């Protein structure tokens, strides 16, 4: 069964639980929460030490008895209890009391396209723990397409690529439904890990994934497919001595390391197009691909896709917010009635 737009209009708030960030949209108030999906827990007492940005800053910098956890992986809740505690802390007592005054509190949530029943149930239980009496599930691909303004209700093809931290989802939509879709387990974290591994084996330098940002910025001016700056300086810990060390890294080698995981994304695009009717693929020659999600801002990724596919590639305005904005559009009733083939709790 599928939920209708009327059911979504009855929802009071919506949650986009991502591997990197959690966003909460409240009907009539807009986006109220946009924080990292991270929590710090005292393992001795079980107390929640911090959530969101503060917990993110604690990653890799805590004593043994404090553990930094991510209760969401690849858009799927893997620790329901911790996800509930994190959301309660992020939302705050005042907002929670305001929501609970609503009669029969309803919520909406994004789930990945290929989410199995267990993953769907985990998302439902997480929001039920916040007081929701009913939870409607919406495919992340549809929500993101609506949020970036694609005309998904038209009888013509639109292609969207949701670039997440843990996975990349690609889909072709028409008449408010997904015609073909593919989920590739490669995202921004895989790109960061490729850079970390390059530095470990080529320069014998250990550094956390949060420190790869300077290298990505070094590629920004000319993208992944050109030469750009010859080298950039990076700080880390020497594998052998454990001492801090500074090295100059060849950005051409970094580009090569990044290309490897991104090849899987190109394969996913090819598989999606092969599943589509020829008429829809022909529509995409001019319309191209719309990129959304936080990892869509990886420097030069759009250029690489443009060269590999021969199609126009666009990055949405504020791509990281498209999914939650799409949920907000549905809650507020601002989209055409034909749109929507979401999941139902």
């Amino acid at each position: 069964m599928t939920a209708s737009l009327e059911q979504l209009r009855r929802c009071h708030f919506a949650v986009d639980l991502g591997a990197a960030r959690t966003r909460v949209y409240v009907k009539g108030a807009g986006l109220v929460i946009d924080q990292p999906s991270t929590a710090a827990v005292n393992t001795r007492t079980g107390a929640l030490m911090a959530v969101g940005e503060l917990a993110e800053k604690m990653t890799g910098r805590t004593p043994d008895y404090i553990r930094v956890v991510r209760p969401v992986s690849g858009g799927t809740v893997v620790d329901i209890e911790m996800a509930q505690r994190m959301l309660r802390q992020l939302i705050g007592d005042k907002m929670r009391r305001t929501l609970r005054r609503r009669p029969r509190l309803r919520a909406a949530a994004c789930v990945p396209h290929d989410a199995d029943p267990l993953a769907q149930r985990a998302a439902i239980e997480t929001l039920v723990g916040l007081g929701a009496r009913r939870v409607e599930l919406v495919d992340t691909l549809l929500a993101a397409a609506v949020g970036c303004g694609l005309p998904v209700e038209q009888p013509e093809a639109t292609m969207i690529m949701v670039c997440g931290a843990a996975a990349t989802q690609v889909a072709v939509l028409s008449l408010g439904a997904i015609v073909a879709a593919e989920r590739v387990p490669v995202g921004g974290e895989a790109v960061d890990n490729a850079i970390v591994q390059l530095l470990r084996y080529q320069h014998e330098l250990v550094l956390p994934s949060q420190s790869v940002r300077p290298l990505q910025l070094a590629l920004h001016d000319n993208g992944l497919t050109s030469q750009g700056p010859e080298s950039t300086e990076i700080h880390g810990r020497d594998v052998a001595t454990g001492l801090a060390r500074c090295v100059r890294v060849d950005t051409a080698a970094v580009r090569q390391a990044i290309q490897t995981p991104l090849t899987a994304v190109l394969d996913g695009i090819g598989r999606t197009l092969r599943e589509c009717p020829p008429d829809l693929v022909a529509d995409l020659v001019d319309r191209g691909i719309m990129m959304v999600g936080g990892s869509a801002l990886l420097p030069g990724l759009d250029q690489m896709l443009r060269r590999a596919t021969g199609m126009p590639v666009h990055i949405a305005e504020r791509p990281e917010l498209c999914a939650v904005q799409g949920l907000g559009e549905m809650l507020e009733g601002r989209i055409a009635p034909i749109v929507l083939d979401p999941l139902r709790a």
Side-chain angles (χ1 to χ4, degrees):
M1 297 179 67
T2 59
S4 67
L5 272 177
E6 186 59 35
Q7 288 170 321
L8 285 170
R9 290 191 187 106
R10 294 173 185 168
C11 293
H12 302 99
F13 72 103
V15 178
D16 177 19
L17 274 170
R21 299 186 75 85
T22 293
R23 299 177 176 94
V24 179
Y25 184 101
V26 175
K27 190 173 184 178
L31 184 66
V32 296
I33 301 294
D34 183 4
Q35 294 278 341
S37 304
T38 312
V41 184
N42 187 324
T43 57
R44 294 175 180 173
T45 64
L48 196 62
M49 304 290 294
V51 297
E53 291 181 355
L54 181 56
E56 183 82 1
K57 292 178 181 177
M58 295 167 66
T59 303
R61 297 177 173 87
T62 61
D64 293 342
Y65 64 91
I66 297 179
R67 187 165 57 101
V68 178
V69 298
R70 292 182 177 273
V72 184
S73 176
T76 301
V77 178
V78 294
D79 187 337
I80 296 175
E81 181 183 357
M82 187 56 64
Q84 290 175 345
R85 295 177 67 185
M86 180 186 74
L87 279 172
R88 288 193 197 102
Q89 190 77 10
L90 288 174
I91 292 174
D93 293 336
K94 183 178 179 181
M95 181 62 70
R96 208 160 58 245
R97 284 195 299 268
T98 302
L99 289 174
R100 284 185 173 175
R101 293 195 193 104
R102 309 285 178 91
R104 290 191 58 82
L105 183 65
R106 292 172 177 247
C110 283
V111 293
H113 173 69
D114 61 350
D116 56 33
L118 187 61
Q120 295 181 29
R121 178 55 55 185
I124 293 168
E125 292 297 330
T126 300
L127 298 188
V128 167
L130 295 179
R133 300 287 296 277
R134 184 181 177 89
V135 180
E136 306 291 350
L137 302 182
V138 180
D139 195 304
T140 301
L141 290 164
L142 277 168
V146 172
C148 65
L150 290 178
V152 294
E153 74 277 7
Q154 300 297 325
E156 53 190 23
T158 55
M159 191 169 191
I160 188 165
M161 186 167 79
V162 180
C163 307
T168 300
Q169 300 177 72
V170 185
V172 175
L173 302 94
S174 179
L175 286 173
I178 295 173
V179 178
E182 190 78 22
R183 184 174 184 269
V184 182
V186 172
E189 292 176 353
V191 173
D192 291 348
N193 187 60
I195 298 175
V196 169
Q197 295 302 315
L198 169 73
L199 293 174
R200 183 179 183 90
Y201 292 111
Q202 193 174 86
H203 298 277
E204 296 185 346
L205 198 73
V206 178
L207 75 165
S209 59
Q210 297 95 324
S211 298
V212 303
R213 188 62 179 166
L215 283 173
Q216 293 184 1
L217 292 176
L219 304 176
H220 181 70
D221 292 336
N222 295 306
L224 299 177
T225 55
S226 59
Q227 295 303 314
E230 293 184 358
S231 63
T232 187
E233 196 173 81
I234 195 76
H235 299 269
R237 188 186 72 188
D238 189 276
V239 172
T241 66
L243 300 176
R245 186 159 62 91
C246 176
V247 298
R248 294 202 68 85
V249 180
D250 181 12
T251 51
V254 176
R255 289 188 189 91
Q256 185 62 38
I258 289 176
Q259 293 281 357
T260 302
L262 294 182
T263 301
V265 176
L266 293 175
D267 292 341
I269 293 174
R271 288 193 298 270
T272 303
L273 292 174
R274 285 193 292 271
E275 294 176 9
C276 288
D279 291 343
L280 291 180
V281 176
D283 291 342
L284 298 173
V285 173
D286 296 324
R287 181 161 291 177
I289 305 171
M290 178 65 75
M291 295 173 59
V292 302
S295 298
L297 298 174
L298 179 67
L301 176 57
D302 56 333
Q303 300 173 26
M304 189 197 75
L305 293 177
R306 197 175 293 118
R307 290 192 179 190
T309 62
M311 296 190 299
V313 178
H314 314 282
I315 300 177
E317 184 178 356
R318 302 194 72 185
E320 69 280 4
L321 298 180
C322 287
V324 73
Q325 286 176 342
L327 284 175
E329 294 288 315
M330 296 174 189
L331 264 62
E332 305 286 1
R334 298 177 186 148
I335 59 176
I338 194 173
V339 177
L340 217 53
D341 186 19
L343 303 169
R344 183 173 179 239

